Amino acid sequence: MLALLHPVAQVGAGFSVHPSTAIGLAALGAAYEWRARQGAREARLLGAPVNELPAARRLLFHGALLVLFLTLNGPVHDLSDEYLFSAHMVQHLILELLVPPMLLAGTPGWMLRPLLRVRGVGALARWITRPVIAFAVFNVVLAAWHLPPLYNLALAVHAVHILQHLMFLAASVLMWWPLMGSLPELPRLSYPGQMLYCFLMTLPMSVVAVYITMADRVLYPLYAIAPRVLGISPLEDQRYGGLIMWVPGGLFFYGVMTVVFVLWTRRGGEDTAGAAQVAG
């Protein structure tokens, strides 16, 4: 039993920090605060009402950065990279389903609007945030990075692993935009459209999860030679990882559908999904 618990004890013995994540997250937080101050200064110069940044939004944005830091460093990172595929799947779901909506909820539209004035950015943003494109980009990224050749390459080469996580984050922010976008120039879906979008989002994820869960061999060899944790075999670990993507991942979108439905009914069935964007 002690031998089975030894890897867990090693992981919990210290908190590993990767400088690239700390520096990147600190830079992102600093850019956010700089943009907040710049927006207030611009409003004062134009004689317009100052764009206040509510404390709740600041808390959500910086909370997302903290969750990212804790996910990409420390025990979660160590278990994911060196021991358990199932832990890696938990890490990926946090990157895809928890951090992006927190980032979007914490970022008002006025902070992003100047980017649309950059040549080419506005047209690209209007195209890539279309629900069909956002849906396709997210699911292609998700499926491609779970194919054994690419996944194993990410485990073997740290720079590729960083690229994998950045692509997950970017594609996930894009995927969430039709549900939580804060710019009327890049509109959200209607409430019924959001519910359909969430339902459809469960289907490709389920296909990838079934592929992993039902595999009769270990798809990712690094985990086959990793020290065993709690006596879980590599194939069992892989199946647990597939189930984590399949069940919690799918149920999460059904939960979002429920929230959207409640918002819709509270507004008497009127589609006012974009109202918050104008205020943002």
Side-chain angles (χ1 to χ4, degrees):
M1 178 61 71
L2 290 177
L4 296 177
L5 292 174
H6 181 62
V8 178
Q10 282 187 314
V11 169
F15 193 98
S16 60
V17 175
H18 297 269
S20 60
T21 61
I23 293 169
L25 293 174
L28 189 57
Y32 179 86
E33 293 300 329
W34 171 82
R35 179 66 190 118
R37 290 193 296 272
Q38 186 188 50
R41 189 180 306 114
E42 289 171 353
R44 284 193 293 268
L45 289 174
L46 294 172
V50 175
N51 290 315
E52 295 292 342
L53 189 58
R57 282 198 148 166
R58 265 198 170 95
L59 182 62
L60 279 167
F61 188 89
H62 291 293
L65 299 186
L66 176 61
V67 172
L68 260 178
F69 179 79
L70 296 175
T71 303
L72 298 175
N73 297 282
V76 175
H77 171 272
D78 295 342
L79 277 172
S80 300
D81 278 26
E82 301 175 23
Y83 297 100
L84 293 173
F85 172 76
S86 52
H88 212 167
M89 195 60 66
V90 171
Q91 183 190 55
H92 287 176
L93 286 183
I94 292 172
L95 296 180
E96 294 158 359
L97 302 183
L98 180 58
V99 171
M102 290 178 68
L103 290 173
L104 286 174
T107 308
W110 59 263
M111 293 185 76
L112 300 173
R113 186 166 286 113
L115 293 174
L116 300 182
R117 304 188 193 110
V118 177
R119 184 175 180 180
V121 171
L124 175 62
R126 282 187 290 274
W127 178 77
I128 204 169
T129 56
R130 291 169 54 195
V132 172
I133 303 300
F135 178 93
V137 169
F138 173 78
N139 285 295
V140 167
V141 168
L142 177 76
W145 276 112
H146 284 89
L147 293 173
L150 279 180
Y151 198 101
N152 290 325
L153 180 63
L155 291 175
V157 182
H158 186 61
V160 177
H161 204 170
I162 293 174
L163 175 64
Q164 180 194 53
H165 286 169
L166 288 174
M167 288 184 68
F168 279 151
L169 279 169
S172 299
V173 168
L174 186 62
M175 178 270 288
W176 280 97
W177 191 272
L179 303 172
M180 298 185 63
S182 56
L183 284 168
E185 299 94 324
L186 310 174
R188 303 176 190 175
L189 280 166
S190 65
Y191 285 126
Q194 289 184 25
M195 288 186 282
L196 177 61
Y197 182 82
C198 286
F199 170 73
L200 293 175
M201 195 61 68
T202 66
L203 302 181
M205 183 176 286
S206 296
V207 172
V208 176
V210 168
Y211 162 72
I212 294 170
T213 305
M214 299 302 180
D216 57 2
R217 61 185 179 86
V218 176
L219 300 172
Y220 313 111
L222 181 143
Y223 294 109
I225 61 174
R228 303 318 323 141
V229 175
L230 302 177
I232 302 171
S233 72
L235 194 56
E236 287 174 330
D237 174 40
Q238 182 173 287
R239 287 172 178 162
Y240 291 148
L243 287 171
I244 287 169
M245 176 188 283
W246 194 352
V247 180
L251 289 177
F252 188 91
F253 283 107
Y254 284 110
V256 175
M257 287 172 61
T258 303
V259 172
V260 172
F261 180 75
V262 170
L263 291 173
W264 188 34
T265 54
R266 283 182 176 176
R267 287 163 173 76
E270 293 184 15
D271 179 22
T272 54
Q277 294 172 290
V278 178

